[in-house]
Amino acid sequence: MRTLSMPVTGRALSPSAKQHGPRRYAPSLLLRMLALVAACVFAMLLAGDQLHASRAAPAEQPLKPRDPEGPGGGGGPPTVGVAIIAVGSQNTRPESVAVDNFVKTVLAWHGAPVARGNGRHTATLRVDLYLVYPSGTNVRPLDFGPRVRVLEPCAGHEVKLGCKKQGALSDLVNYAAKLAPEDADFVMTASLSHTLGSDALQQMVEPLLAQESVGATGCTITQMDGPNPRVLEHGVAVGNGWEDAEWKIFLLKQFSGFPVVDHRVSGTSSVAAVSPHCMLTRSALLSGLGGFRKLSTSVFEQMAVGLLPPDFHAQQLTYLKKKLVVLSALYVKYQPADADKVWEKRVRQSAAATMEQSLQLIDRLEGAAFDPTDADLQGVDFGPLEEGGGGGRRFEGLLADLRRFTDRIQQLQSSQGVSGAAEESGWDYCLRLKQRGLSVLVVPAAAMLQADLMPPALLTPANARAGWSHASLVVDGTFGDVWGPYLRKYWPGSAGGDDEQLAATGAPATRIIWQSFCCHCCGFSNEILHLVFPLQRKHAVDLIPAPDCFCQGYPSAVLDSLARMHLPPSLVEQPVNHDEIVIWISHTDPGSYLTGTLERKKPTYVVGRSMYEFTKIPARWVGECKDNADEIWVPSSFVRDVWVDNGVDANKVILIPEAIDVYFFDPDVAGKVPVGPFRPKWKVYDSNPRRATAKTFKFLSHFKWEDRKGWDVLYQAYFSSYTATDMVTLIVLTHIWFPGPPETHGDVTNHTYVREEVLKLAREKLKRAPESLPHFVIITSRLAEEDVAALYNSVDAFILPTRGEGWGLPPLQAMSMGLPTATTNWSGSVDFLSPKYSFPIPIDRLEELARDSYYGWEPGKLWAVPSLEETCRIMKYMTDPTNAVRLKEMGRIARQEVVQRYSEEAVADIVSNRLQAIKKLILEGAIPPRKPKEWG
């Protein structure tokens, strides 16, 4: 492969073993002599090859991958040639142990078998390795054998090669690729800061051999092995989000922070791009596309090589001039009555400085002065300029806009990439493949990052935002100029991204705004999280609750998505863009659907998302559902039936179940918690810290401390079924439901209060002394979600005899963890219960709520009374050792059901399909869209 047009020079390679000590796999003297002769011949060929560099196919021409059946053909097993280009740094010199291990791994691939043609045949791998170092590394050219070359392209040739610009990943890859043999079928790019898995190359090669439509494959970047190894990047996806009060396109490092054992990273997936630090592509494609491009250069250089249209810079300047004209006029026209106000002085001073900076920039770029006051202002709308009125806000807004564009023009003159990402040249290459109809796949093969071997520049605080630790990167700078329009058109949130058929008719894009109250960590916040995290990969989603309104302890990719989706407070009150279809989701009770914010936003369509636990809804809700929402989403058939029975229009009630991250709540992924003693920082009451052992059967119940959750039934059943001598434990994870009784003194984690309530029940209802009770534990700490999953993973069964649920997330979490699960066979949980894989607890009857209930009493408002007798029977059945095999099988089937029906991905498809149906109905006129004039 000698079609890339970089000069070919380098220092002499393969010195004698005498100078640097022997290598275990060094060649014999004869082989060294043959290698030297071959190197001379190779150098002559390369020198002549420079005269024919024009053979490279232009990027615009069709690209034809090699035969998917693999090379070879005629007689004997075919050989698949792979040129591996590994880029080093000061921390990964050839003499280091890390490089020695890397080379051994790669050379072990040479001669290994690989499946081709959908597994019908096998081929043999032929590997050539190139260790490439940037300028200034000053590497020692050690002898690794005939299949390995050590390259430092710029050493001693700074003036001749212009190597002050050498060292970028694209330059080093292109340089080494030119040295690859012409019969190399594939080129792999890698980093010496990573440790490759033993079968990484085979996993990456086989999809390319099997499918002609695959242009490149990449491996999963992980952190180095440890007690809890995590994924850093499982390919790159495209998403949207907010940054600095602007809606932007992002590249998402998929599953960042997820455990490497997560099942979502155990397969092959189609992605937007893969990391160039572990990428394999066809040689013909790499040469045909001109190799890797370096995008982090000035806009002028980009225009010179045809990456940007010639008038791109002029368009940016024209827009800047228009802003200057309007702002200059406002500066003269808007004279505040009270010039002593600090705010007004600061705004005017800032405006003067910004305008002067902008004018100097235009003068420098165009070589001529620009006078913004010498312009035709006819038809310019300056907005309200009355004293202290909207003029000030208009003035501030234009000033901020102008400042952003001034910074933008200045950025265009300097090196800019995707937030400084080192991987951008590889991402650019992958997007060029996808633009030509080829797919890019990520495989589970691991490349483990060794942070101590990375170049120091990538580990500085200034690069932390754009480095390995962050789950998303803004598509900005030159990369954004090149790829922004393409990504905005074809990826989530665009008219083409969320529905290509509608986009073909010129349909507007769809935006989802999700509103709810902030409970910091409760069932509502968990429900929202599990709905919006997968949905934001399909649609543009704005989230009004701030990131700290959700439970903590989730992987970085999840927490990052909450930050990206969060609608900046400064924009919450602004009207929506009516060039979009805006679907507003009020995730609360019907009495709170209509808010001042909603009236000011004036969305196209309003969805209420609510749940309920009783048989009768407040009468006013019927009217509020009719007047304040276009449709209502409810999580269960129980809630749907209750609302319709109480008078809500059945056509407006849509069943959308709750979702759960079945790969986070996974027994194969979650950790374990030692049961006695528990973790020191947890607030725990343990009735007998030495009682629980590995042989103890452990029940778990998880709920907030209130009467509706049936805590009294739970403890009565447990205390009635066991004694202090039985090898059982009941662990309750709870917190006191606000506002809580006075005895808690406002502390929702007061486990002393909970303990006294439990002991009072035992004393008054069961006549039992504390020392006669079976072992029990009360945990009142607000645990991180990973600790909650670990707690589920440390017990034998789950039980919750609740009086009523709108859905029932804890039982679903338990089933996802493969636990035998018992909960009341009434209300929302009925949708996911079955005697085949769970223990539905029968009810004795329905009864009215207490007159002093927090939920409010009224005639006909009922909840369930779980059967105490049946709860006891189920608990005894679970602890019978003869039923252990059946319990395990029930847990396995329960998890299968949850994965299939209630995973985040499964429910996101349900939600996405409903959103598309709403959009279609609006566009067809079946549902008249809300217009601003209809809002009071």
Side-chain angles (χ1 to χ4, degrees), residues 791-802:
L791 191 57
Y792 278 111
N793 209 26
S794 305
V795 300
D796 301 293
F798 180 89
I799 186 164
L800 179 63
T802 175

Side-chain angles (χ1 to χ4, degrees), residues 675-676 678 686-700 714-732 768 770-778 794-797 799 871-881 887:
V675 180
F678 289 87
D686 190 330
S687 67
N688 186 349
R690 297 183 179 181
R691 181 60 180 166
T693 68
K695 296 181 179 181
T696 302
F697 190 97
K698 293 172 279 293
F699 291 102
L700 174 67
L714 171 66
Y715 279 101
Q716 284 188 68
Y718 180 63
F719 291 159
S720 299
S721 301
Y722 306 103
T723 67
T725 60
D726 290 316
M727 296 297 291
V728 292
T729 294
L730 172 61
I731 303 169
V732 168
R768 297 277 297 273
E771 59 272 14
S772 71
L773 298 176
H775 183 232
F776 66 98
V777 174
I778 300 167
S794 305
V795 300
D796 301 293
I799 186 164
T871 304
C872 292
R873 185 188 65 80
I874 290 171
M875 296 183 87
K876 295 292 285 185
Y877 182 92
M878 288 179 165
T879 54
D880 186 340
L887 291 181

Side-chain angles (χ1 to χ4, degrees), residues 540-755:
V541 179
D542 291 349
L543 193 59
I544 291 182
D548 63 359
C549 292
F550 297 86
C551 299
Q552 301 302 301
Y554 283 109
S556 54
V558 177
L559 300 178
D560 173 81
S561 71
L562 295 175
R564 281 188 295 103
M565 287 186 283
H566 178 47
L567 186 66
S570 61
L571 302 180
V572 168
E573 298 295 328
Q574 294 186 8
V576 300
N577 175 13
H578 282 280
D579 291 334
E580 300 175 316
I581 291 176
V582 179
I583 301 175
W584 179 282
I585 300 177
S586 282
H587 201 127
T588 182
D589 64 76
S592 302
Y593 286 167
L594 185 61
T595 64
T597 299
L598 175 59
E599 292 183 285
R600 286 184 287 274
K601 296 295 283 188
K602 301 177 175 62
T604 316
Y605 196 85
V606 177
V607 174
R609 169 65 171 184
S610 301
M611 64 174 59
Y612 201 61
E613 300 89 358
F614 315 110
T615 59
K616 187 176 182 180
I617 67 174
R620 68 180 186 277
W621 282 11
V622 178
E624 288 163 343
C625 288
K626 178 182 177 182
D627 298 335
N628 300 337
D630 295 297
E631 68 183 48
I632 317 296
W633 291 356
V634 296
S636 64
S637 55
F638 167 80
V639 179
R640 178 193 60 200
D641 295 343
V642 166
W643 287 43
V644 172
D645 291 345
N646 280 264
V648 178
D649 183 355
N651 294 320
K652 295 183 71 168
V653 183
I654 308 297
L655 179 57
I656 304 287
E658 282 196 31
I660 182 174
D661 187 345
V662 297
Y663 304 104
F664 183 87
F665 288 95
D666 181 347
D668 294 334
V669 173
K672 297 269 189 180
V673 174
V675 180
F678 289 87
R679 292 176 179 168
K681 293 184 178 180
W682 290 6
K683 288 191 173 183
V684 177
Y685 170 74
D686 190 330
S687 67
N688 186 349
R690 297 183 179 181
R691 181 60 180 166
T693 68
K695 296 181 179 181
T696 302
F697 190 97
K698 293 172 279 293
F699 291 102
L700 174 67
S701 197
H702 179 197
F703 55 89
K704 58 180 180 284
W705 193 263
E706 56 161 326
D707 290 342
R708 179 173 61 85
K709 296 297 183 177
W711 67 266
D712 53 334
V713 179
L714 171 66
Y715 279 101
Q716 284 188 68
Y718 180 63
F719 291 159
S720 299
S721 301
Y722 306 103
T723 67
T725 60
D726 290 316
M727 296 297 291
V728 292
T729 294
L730 172 61
I731 303 169
V732 168
L733 174 61
T734 188
H735 64 275
I736 300 167
W737 178 235
F738 180 83
E743 293 89 342
T744 66
H745 302 291
D747 181 5
V748 298
T749 64
N750 189 332
H751 60 73
T752 302
Y753 168 79
V754 176
R755 178 199 67 196

Side-chain angles (χ1 to χ4, degrees), residues 335-451:
Q335 297 291 341
D338 186 359
D340 294 330
K341 289 185 177 180
V342 174
W343 173 82
E344 291 167 346
K345 282 185 175 182
R346 287 178 178 174
V347 170
R348 292 182 66 78
Q349 290 171 358
S350 179
T354 299
M355 288 190 291
E356 180 61 28
Q357 180 187 19
S358 303
L359 290 171
Q360 291 177 2
L361 176 63
I362 294 174
D363 293 348
R364 185 169 70 252
L365 295 177
E366 294 195 328
F370 171 68
D371 184 0
T373 63
D374 186 19
D376 183 8
L377 299 179
Q378 186 175 0
V380 175
D381 176 21
F382 293 108
L385 299 175
E386 61 273 10
E387 294 180 8
R393 290 190 294 273
R394 167 85 165 168
F395 193 78
E396 266 199 318
L398 281 172
L399 175 63
D401 199 7
L402 176 68
R403 187 180 294 114
R404 282 195 298 269
F405 270 89
T406 303
D407 293 343
R408 177 77 180 102
I409 295 294
Q410 291 176 331
Q411 290 171 0
L412 290 174
Q413 301 175 88
S414 60
S415 297
Q416 291 293 318
V418 184
S419 293
E423 306 102 318
E424 65 175 12
S425 57
W427 294 342
D428 167 75
Y429 175 76
C430 291
L431 290 175
R432 283 188 284 158
L433 293 177
K434 295 186 74 68
Q435 206 172 38
R436 287 159 174 80
L438 298 172
S439 61
V440 176
L441 304 179
V442 60
V443 300
M448 293 173 288
L449 173 66
Q450 303 179 81

Side-chain angles (χ1 to χ4, degrees), residues 111-125:
V114 62
R116 67 185 186 95
N118 291 317
R120 293 192 299 267
H121 309 285
T122 59
T124 301
L125 289 173

